[in-house]
Amino acid sequence: MVQVAVREKARSRVAVKVADKAAERLALPLGRILPGDCIEAMRSLPTASVDMVFADPPYNLQLGGDLARPDGSHVDAVTNDWDKFDSFAAYDAFTRAWLAEARRVLKPDGSLWVIGSYHNIFRVGAILQDMGFWILNDIVWRKANPMPNFKGTRFTNAHETLIWASTGEKAKYTFNYRAMKTLNDELQMRSDWVLPICSGQERIRKGGAKAHPTQKPEALLYRVMLATTHKGDVVLDPFFGTGTTGAVAKRLGREWIGCEKEEVYRDVAMERIEMALPLDESALTTMQSGKSAPKVAFGQLVETGWIKPGMTLTDKKRRLAATVRADGSLVSGAETGSIHGLGAKLQGAPSCNGWTFWHVEQDGELKPIDAVRQLYLLATEP
């Protein structure tokens, strides 16, 4: 009788926790873009209610005059009022205010990501350390196809910096190490990420012009979310822009909340997110914790959409088949692994070159995935 009572009490506690969690989520504006100033918008959110904050704040570029190419044509740059501050002191005060709200709404085991350029990232980093955040990594996003320095007066700005921080030194943050290793062809994921800038069909345009001057590539957010969140986690973006965070969150089965004061950006973002297709359950499952690097990892093709999660790969004779998952791993029946590991396992072989073994059907023709890799390299070369 005593054991039964204990079990019933335990079940009751679990039920209460589940109910509380459900009520907490109902109180959140999931899948919505909050209008107006991001600081005021975040104040409307409950304390300790989100799992991750991804912030792409104004860079405070302080550009003096227009930028022009050698042929005299105009270079689209950040000249909007939202990027203008009267002084560094004003920018710092703004940074402290939004970081304070970000810290309040983050769960104790949540994490913060901030991206910036040399204009602002060092100021942001110092401030977040002063506020008690604990820096876990600085990530260098090295742009595969950066904009040249047309004046020839300085080095070409070919990277941006992301800061990944927890709420404190002892915080138990999320890091999906195994998924990142799988995404990178069984090598530890490094802190320098080579990804192309947003261009081509991904670049959103209105009336022939860029809808937003600093639109981030989906591949960047894909890697951030896959690394530091779980399916169903809530991701907050205080500077939502054209909705890259929301679109990727929808694809990866994460919940999202955005803050954006510019109506034109809100309209573009909602239209974009409504078109984003979520992955099915099997593709969302990722490898759990438990050779020379190629120029591009298989996971990078998945991140950038050249190979889509849920797609079926086969050997040349179509005897074996596997499904691509969100972290670049493959699944075939009860077996999982990287393109190389699973290929070897299914053949009972000591090793396998997954690039030439696995094939994908495109335009009615079966092609080795290495052919897709070569096309990717051609499309993203500087």
Side-chain angles (χ1 to χ4, degrees):
M1 292 293 290
V2 174
Q3 289 180 337
V4 171
V6 170
R7 283 200 298 269
E8 288 301 319
K9 191 172 183 180
R11 287 196 191 101
S12 177
R13 282 200 301 267
V14 170
V16 169
K17 286 182 180 179
V18 170
D20 288 346
K21 192 170 184 179
E24 177 186 281
R25 291 175 75 86
L26 284 174
L28 292 172
L30 301 178
R32 285 177 49 198
I33 307 174
L34 306 179
D37 176 75
C38 71
I39 299 165
E40 290 299 320
M42 283 192 285
R43 284 174 181 157
S44 69
L45 301 177
T47 298
S49 59
V50 305
D51 299 283
M52 187 184 88
V53 173
F54 180 87
D56 184 9
Y59 287 6
N60 193 27
L61 294 181
Q62 305 289 336
L63 293 177
D66 292 336
L67 297 177
R69 297 183 177 87
D71 62 4
S73 59
H74 179 70
V75 176
D76 291 331
V78 185
T79 56
N80 310 70
D81 287 340
W82 51 258
D83 194 60
K84 295 177 181 177
F85 294 83
D86 292 336
S87 64
F88 285 132
Y91 186 80
D92 291 351
F94 168 74
T95 300
R96 289 189 190 92
W98 75 257
L99 277 174
E101 284 306 306
R103 185 172 179 79
R104 182 186 65 80
V105 301
L106 270 173
K107 294 177 182 177
D109 57 354
S111 59
L112 169 78
W113 285 83
V114 187
I115 186 170
S117 68
Y118 67 88
H119 302 87
N120 72 322
I121 197 66
F122 303 109
R123 308 187 75 85
V124 173
I127 291 169
L128 67 84
Q129 283 185 308
D130 288 343
M131 296 178 69
F133 285 99
W134 188 260
I135 295 179
L136 300 167
N137 274 117
D138 62 326
I139 304 292
V140 175
W141 166 32
R142 187 156 64 87
K143 301 174 183 179
N145 48 346
M147 181 74 71
N149 184 282
F150 293 111
K151 292 183 178 180
T153 55
R154 287 188 280 181
F155 296 110
T156 296
N157 293 325
H159 78 278
E160 291 185 33
T161 301
L162 296 94
I163 295 174
W164 174 36
S166 64
T167 56
E169 183 179 1
K170 305 295 184 182
K172 295 181 179 180
Y173 55 89
T174 294
F175 179 51
N176 300 318
Y177 168 80
R178 193 69 189 83
M180 287 295 97
K181 191 173 180 181
T182 305
L183 196 69
N184 198 38
D185 275 359
E186 295 305 318
L187 295 174
Q188 283 192 347
M189 184 70 77
R190 292 162 40 129
S191 62
D192 54 335
W193 298 354
V194 182
L195 296 169
I197 62 174
C198 192
S199 59
Q201 291 186 337
E202 187 182 348
R203 169 64 74 176
I204 300 174
R205 296 182 179 275
K206 286 291 182 181
K210 293 177 183 177
H212 194 289
T214 62
Q215 181 184 337
K216 296 299 181 291
E218 291 192 7
L220 186 69
L221 271 296
Y222 188 106
R223 189 174 295 187
V224 165
M225 281 189 214
L226 202 65
T228 56
T229 63
H230 298 296
K231 181 177 178 292
D233 280 357
V234 178
V235 178
L236 168 68
D237 187 337
F239 308 95
F240 203 61
T242 52
T244 302
T245 299
V248 175
K250 184 178 177 182
R251 284 174 57 201
L252 290 177
R254 277 64 168 165
E255 301 287 358
W256 61 270
I257 302 169
C259 306
E260 180 52 60
K261 66 179 181 180
E262 303 290 336
E263 184 178 5
V264 63
Y265 296 159
R266 295 198 300 271
D267 292 343
V268 169
M270 287 309 302
E271 181 180 345
R272 174 187 186 183
I273 294 167
E274 285 169 4
M275 293 174 63
L277 297 175
L279 304 181
D280 62 31
E281 289 295 322
S282 61
L284 280 174
T285 304
T286 58
M287 296 284 283
Q288 298 301 313
S289 295
K291 330 165 190 165
S292 298
K295 289 186 178 179
V296 58
F298 179 69
Q300 197 163 334
L301 299 182
V302 178
E303 288 177 315
T304 51
W306 286 72
I307 298 286
K308 297 185 182 300
M311 186 177 281
T312 298
L313 305 183
T314 68
D315 66 312
K316 190 174 183 179
K317 295 184 178 180
R318 300 181 189 268
R319 292 174 299 186
L320 299 171
T323 302
V324 180
R325 301 196 296 187
D327 63 353
S329 62
L330 303 184
V331 58
S332 180
E335 302 290 349
T336 61
S338 67
I339 57 171
H340 313 296
L342 185 61
K345 193 181 298 182
L346 295 179
Q347 295 177 90
S351 63
C352 170
N353 182 348
W355 290 109
T356 55
F357 176 75
W358 292 111
H359 289 63
V360 62
E361 187 167 338
Q362 291 185 337
D363 302 322
E365 183 181 352
L366 205 58
K367 301 177 181 178
I369 57 175
D370 188 55
V372 181
R373 174 171 63 161
Q374 297 308 316
L375 285 173
Y376 171 83
L377 288 169
L378 286 172
T380 58
E381 66 181 2

